[in-house]
mmCIF file of all heavy atoms in Angstrom:
data_model
loop_
_atom_site.group_PDB
_atom_site.id
_atom_site.type_symbol
_atom_site.label_atom_id
_atom_site.label_comp_id
_atom_site.label_asym_id
_atom_site.label_seq_id
_atom_site.Cartn_x
_atom_site.Cartn_y
_atom_site.Cartn_z
ATOM 1 N N GLY I 71 146.427 132.400 49.099
ATOM 2 C CA GLY I 71 147.517 133.368 49.128
ATOM 3 C C GLY I 71 147.243 134.566 48.253
ATOM 4 O O GLY I 71 147.552 134.552 47.051
ATOM 5 N N GLY I 72 146.683 135.584 48.819
ATOM 6 C CA GLY I 72 146.500 136.839 48.102
ATOM 7 C C GLY I 72 147.547 137.806 48.595
ATOM 8 O O GLY I 72 148.604 137.974 47.986
ATOM 9 N N ILE I 73 147.297 138.410 49.735
ATOM 10 C CA ILE I 73 148.300 139.274 50.357
ATOM 11 C C ILE I 73 149.434 138.433 50.928
ATOM 12 O O ILE I 73 150.613 138.735 50.751
ATOM 13 C CB ILE I 73 147.650 140.114 51.481
ATOM 14 C CG1 ILE I 73 146.563 141.020 50.898
ATOM 15 C CG2 ILE I 73 148.687 140.935 52.219
ATOM 16 C CD1 ILE I 73 145.764 141.768 51.930
ATOM 17 N N VAL I 74 149.080 137.346 51.602
ATOM 18 C CA VAL I 74 150.087 136.465 52.196
ATOM 19 C C VAL I 74 150.544 135.439 51.161
ATOM 20 O O VAL I 74 149.746 134.920 50.388
ATOM 21 C CB VAL I 74 149.512 135.762 53.449
ATOM 22 C CG1 VAL I 74 148.331 134.890 53.102
ATOM 23 C CG2 VAL I 74 150.580 134.957 54.153
ATOM 24 N N ARG I 75 151.850 135.180 51.105
ATOM 25 C CA ARG I 75 152.403 134.230 50.135
ATOM 26 C C ARG I 75 152.301 132.809 50.663
ATOM 27 O O ARG I 75 152.540 132.554 51.843
ATOM 28 C CB ARG I 75 153.870 134.565 49.860
ATOM 29 C CG ARG I 75 154.059 135.804 49.027
ATOM 30 C CD ARG I 75 155.483 136.325 49.028
ATOM 31 N NE ARG I 75 156.500 135.317 49.326
ATOM 32 C CZ ARG I 75 157.733 135.620 49.733
ATOM 33 N NH1 ARG I 75 158.073 136.880 49.921
ATOM 34 N NH2 ARG I 75 158.602 134.663 49.985
ATOM 35 N N CYS I 76 151.967 131.870 49.780
ATOM 36 C CA CYS I 76 151.786 130.478 50.189
ATOM 37 C C CYS I 76 153.086 129.848 50.670
ATOM 38 O O CYS I 76 153.071 128.995 51.571
ATOM 39 C CB CYS I 76 151.220 129.659 49.021
ATOM 40 S SG CYS I 76 149.517 130.072 48.602
ATOM 41 N N ASP I 77 154.215 130.215 50.075
ATOM 42 C CA ASP I 77 155.482 129.633 50.521
ATOM 43 C C ASP I 77 155.813 130.067 51.944
ATOM 44 O O ASP I 77 156.379 129.298 52.732
ATOM 45 C CB ASP I 77 156.624 129.992 49.558
ATOM 46 C CG ASP I 77 156.789 131.501 49.380
ATOM 47 O OD1 ASP I 77 155.784 132.229 49.500
ATOM 48 O OD2 ASP I 77 157.929 131.941 49.116
ATOM 49 N N ARG I 78 155.433 131.295 52.298
ATOM 50 C CA ARG I 78 155.667 131.766 53.667
ATOM 51 C C ARG I 78 154.780 131.006 54.654
ATOM 52 O O ARG I 78 155.214 130.647 55.752
ATOM 53 C CB ARG I 78 155.391 133.267 53.751
ATOM 54 C CG ARG I 78 155.649 133.862 55.118
ATOM 55 C CD ARG I 78 155.534 135.360 55.100
ATOM 56 N NE ARG I 78 156.575 135.959 54.271
ATOM 57 C CZ ARG I 78 156.660 137.269 54.022
ATOM 58 N NH1 ARG I 78 155.764 138.094 54.530
ATOM 59 N NH2 ARG I 78 157.623 137.746 53.274
ATOM 60 N N VAL I 79 153.535 130.750 54.252
ATOM 61 C CA VAL I 79 152.633 129.977 55.109
ATOM 62 C C VAL I 79 153.158 128.558 55.273
ATOM 63 O O VAL I 79 153.168 128.005 56.377
ATOM 64 C CB VAL I 79 151.204 129.948 54.521
ATOM 65 C CG1 VAL I 79 150.311 129.031 55.339
ATOM 66 C CG2 VAL I 79 150.627 131.342 54.468
ATOM 67 N N ALA I 80 153.590 127.965 54.161
ATOM 68 C CA ALA I 80 154.113 126.598 54.209
ATOM 69 C C ALA I 80 155.310 126.499 55.145
ATOM 70 O O ALA I 80 155.422 125.556 55.940
ATOM 71 C CB ALA I 80 154.506 126.139 52.804
ATOM 72 N N GLN I 81 156.202 127.490 55.066
ATOM 73 C CA GLN I 81 157.360 127.490 55.958
ATOM 74 C C GLN I 81 156.904 127.663 57.407
ATOM 75 O O GLN I 81 157.465 127.056 58.328
ATOM 76 C CB GLN I 81 158.318 128.609 55.559
ATOM 77 C CG GLN I 81 159.673 128.539 56.257
ATOM 78 C CD GLN I 81 160.417 127.257 55.947
ATOM 79 O OE1 GLN I 81 160.613 126.892 54.785
ATOM 80 N NE2 GLN I 81 160.821 126.522 56.990
ATOM 81 N N GLY I 82 155.865 128.457 57.604
ATOM 82 C CA GLY I 82 155.312 128.624 58.946
ATOM 83 C C GLY I 82 154.748 127.327 59.491
ATOM 84 O O GLY I 82 154.911 127.013 60.678
ATOM 85 N N VAL I 83 154.088 126.551 58.641
ATOM 86 C CA VAL I 83 153.540 125.258 59.055
ATOM 87 C C VAL I 83 154.666 124.313 59.459
ATOM 88 O O VAL I 83 154.608 123.641 60.498
ATOM 89 C CB VAL I 83 152.696 124.635 57.925
ATOM 90 C CG1 VAL I 83 152.326 123.187 58.260
ATOM 91 C CG2 VAL I 83 151.434 125.451 57.686
ATOM 92 N N VAL I 84 155.716 124.262 58.631
ATOM 93 C CA VAL I 84 156.856 123.385 58.912
ATOM 94 C C VAL I 84 157.535 123.797 60.219
ATOM 95 O O VAL I 84 157.838 122.949 61.081
ATOM 96 C CB VAL I 84 157.856 123.414 57.739
ATOM 97 C CG1 VAL I 84 159.145 122.671 58.114
ATOM 98 C CG2 VAL I 84 157.235 122.805 56.491
ATOM 99 N N ASP I 85 157.789 125.096 60.391
ATOM 100 C CA ASP I 85 158.457 125.589 61.607
ATOM 101 C C ASP I 85 157.599 125.313 62.844
ATOM 102 O O ASP I 85 158.117 124.921 63.901
ATOM 103 C CB ASP I 85 158.736 127.088 61.490
ATOM 104 C CG ASP I 85 159.764 127.407 60.423
ATOM 105 O OD1 ASP I 85 160.455 126.465 59.968
ATOM 106 O OD2 ASP I 85 159.856 128.592 60.024
ATOM 107 N N ALA I 86 156.289 125.524 62.708
ATOM 108 C CA ALA I 86 155.393 125.293 63.835
ATOM 109 C C ALA I 86 155.354 123.823 64.205
ATOM 110 O O ALA I 86 155.351 123.462 65.387
ATOM 111 C CB ALA I 86 153.988 125.783 63.489
ATOM 112 N N TYR I 87 155.314 122.950 63.200
ATOM 113 C CA TYR I 87 155.301 121.498 63.428
ATOM 114 C C TYR I 87 156.549 121.072 64.193
ATOM 115 O O TYR I 87 156.478 120.319 65.175
ATOM 116 C CB TYR I 87 155.214 120.770 62.084
ATOM 117 C CG TYR I 87 154.839 119.299 62.181
ATOM 118 C CD1 TYR I 87 153.614 118.857 61.717
ATOM 119 C CD2 TYR I 87 155.717 118.362 62.732
ATOM 120 C CE1 TYR I 87 153.256 117.509 61.801
ATOM 121 C CE2 TYR I 87 155.380 117.022 62.816
ATOM 122 C CZ TYR I 87 154.146 116.598 62.346
ATOM 123 O OH TYR I 87 153.801 115.275 62.435
ATOM 124 N N LYS I 88 157.697 121.585 63.768
ATOM 125 C CA LYS I 88 158.956 121.220 64.424
ATOM 126 C C LYS I 88 159.019 121.778 65.845
ATOM 127 O O LYS I 88 159.581 121.149 66.746
ATOM 128 C CB LYS I 88 160.134 121.731 63.596
ATOM 129 C CG LYS I 88 160.317 121.001 62.266
ATOM 130 C CD LYS I 88 161.483 121.573 61.469
ATOM 131 C CE LYS I 88 161.682 120.819 60.164
ATOM 132 N NZ LYS I 88 162.781 121.398 59.338
ATOM 133 N N SER I 89 158.441 122.954 66.046
ATOM 134 C CA SER I 89 158.456 123.571 67.376
ATOM 135 C C SER I 89 157.579 122.795 68.356
ATOM 136 O O SER I 89 157.952 122.592 69.515
ATOM 137 C CB SER I 89 157.978 125.011 67.279
ATOM 138 O OG SER I 89 157.864 125.603 68.553
ATOM 139 N N ILE I 90 156.420 122.356 67.880
ATOM 140 C CA ILE I 90 155.498 121.612 68.755
ATOM 141 C C ILE I 90 156.006 120.207 69.026
ATOM 142 O O ILE I 90 155.846 119.660 70.119
ATOM 143 C CB ILE I 90 154.087 121.558 68.109
ATOM 144 C CG1 ILE I 90 153.492 122.966 68.049
ATOM 145 C CG2 ILE I 90 153.155 120.641 68.887
ATOM 146 C CD1 ILE I 90 152.189 123.060 67.277
ATOM 147 N N GLY I 91 156.667 119.607 68.017
ATOM 148 C CA GLY I 91 157.101 118.222 68.149
ATOM 149 C C GLY I 91 156.127 117.307 67.434
ATOM 150 O O GLY I 91 155.569 117.664 66.393
ATOM 151 N N ASP I 92 155.922 116.152 67.994
ATOM 152 C CA ASP I 92 155.048 115.183 67.342
ATOM 153 C C ASP I 92 153.582 115.621 67.470
ATOM 154 O O ASP I 92 153.080 115.848 68.572
ATOM 155 C CB ASP I 92 155.222 113.803 67.980
ATOM 156 C CG ASP I 92 154.372 112.754 67.284
ATOM 157 O OD1 ASP I 92 154.375 112.734 66.036
ATOM 158 O OD2 ASP I 92 153.682 111.991 67.980
ATOM 159 N N ILE I 93 152.908 115.747 66.327
ATOM 160 C CA ILE I 93 151.484 116.066 66.312
ATOM 161 C C ILE I 93 150.727 114.781 66.011
ATOM 162 O O ILE I 93 150.930 114.159 64.958
ATOM 163 C CB ILE I 93 151.167 117.156 65.265
ATOM 164 C CG1 ILE I 93 151.876 118.461 65.664
ATOM 165 C CG2 ILE I 93 149.670 117.377 65.142
ATOM 166 C CD1 ILE I 93 151.670 119.601 64.698
ATOM 167 N N PRO I 94 149.866 114.338 66.927
ATOM 168 C CA PRO I 94 149.298 112.984 66.843
ATOM 169 C C PRO I 94 148.191 112.796 65.808
ATOM 170 O O PRO I 94 147.664 111.702 65.689
ATOM 171 C CB PRO I 94 148.740 112.776 68.262
ATOM 172 C CG PRO I 94 148.395 114.144 68.745
ATOM 173 C CD PRO I 94 149.415 115.062 68.137
ATOM 174 N N VAL I 95 147.825 113.837 65.083
ATOM 175 C CA VAL I 95 146.748 113.709 64.095
ATOM 176 C C VAL I 95 147.274 114.108 62.723
ATOM 177 O O VAL I 95 148.201 114.920 62.612
ATOM 178 C CB VAL I 95 145.536 114.588 64.473
ATOM 179 C CG1 VAL I 95 144.941 114.150 65.792
ATOM 180 C CG2 VAL I 95 145.912 116.063 64.504
ATOM 181 N N PRO I 96 146.710 113.530 61.651
ATOM 182 C CA PRO I 96 147.155 113.902 60.304
ATOM 183 C C PRO I 96 146.812 115.346 59.971
ATOM 184 O O PRO I 96 145.790 115.867 60.404
ATOM 185 C CB PRO I 96 146.390 112.923 59.404
ATOM 186 C CG PRO I 96 145.241 112.435 60.212
ATOM 187 C CD PRO I 96 145.689 112.468 61.627
ATOM 188 N N ILE I 97 147.706 115.968 59.188
ATOM 189 C CA ILE I 97 147.527 117.367 58.799
ATOM 190 C C ILE I 97 147.460 117.455 57.283
ATOM 191 O O ILE I 97 148.295 116.889 56.573
ATOM 192 C CB ILE I 97 148.677 118.237 59.326
ATOM 193 C CG1 ILE I 97 148.703 118.222 60.857
ATOM 194 C CG2 ILE I 97 148.551 119.671 58.819
ATOM 195 C CD1 ILE I 97 149.914 118.917 61.445
ATOM 196 N N ILE I 98 146.466 118.158 56.791
ATOM 197 C CA ILE I 98 146.298 118.381 55.357
ATOM 198 C C ILE I 98 146.440 119.876 55.111
ATOM 199 O O ILE I 98 145.740 120.682 55.731
ATOM 200 C CB ILE I 98 144.920 117.890 54.870
ATOM 201 C CG1 ILE I 98 144.758 116.402 55.183
ATOM 202 C CG2 ILE I 98 144.723 118.165 53.397
ATOM 203 C CD1 ILE I 98 143.340 115.958 55.305
#
């Protein structure tokens, strides 16, 4: 996170996960 903020990315990951539904592989 330099220009982009990590909290914004994290929220993007959460929103994307919920939009896609169940993701069958572990995410790190």
Side-chain angles (χ1 to χ4, degrees):
I73 298 174
V74 62
R75 287 166 24 199
C76 291
D77 57 331
R78 182 173 295 176
V79 174
Q81 191 61 53
V83 170
V84 171
D85 293 346
Y87 195 111
K88 291 179 179 178
S89 175
I90 294 173
D92 183 46
I93 296 179
V95 298
I97 297 173
I98 302 155

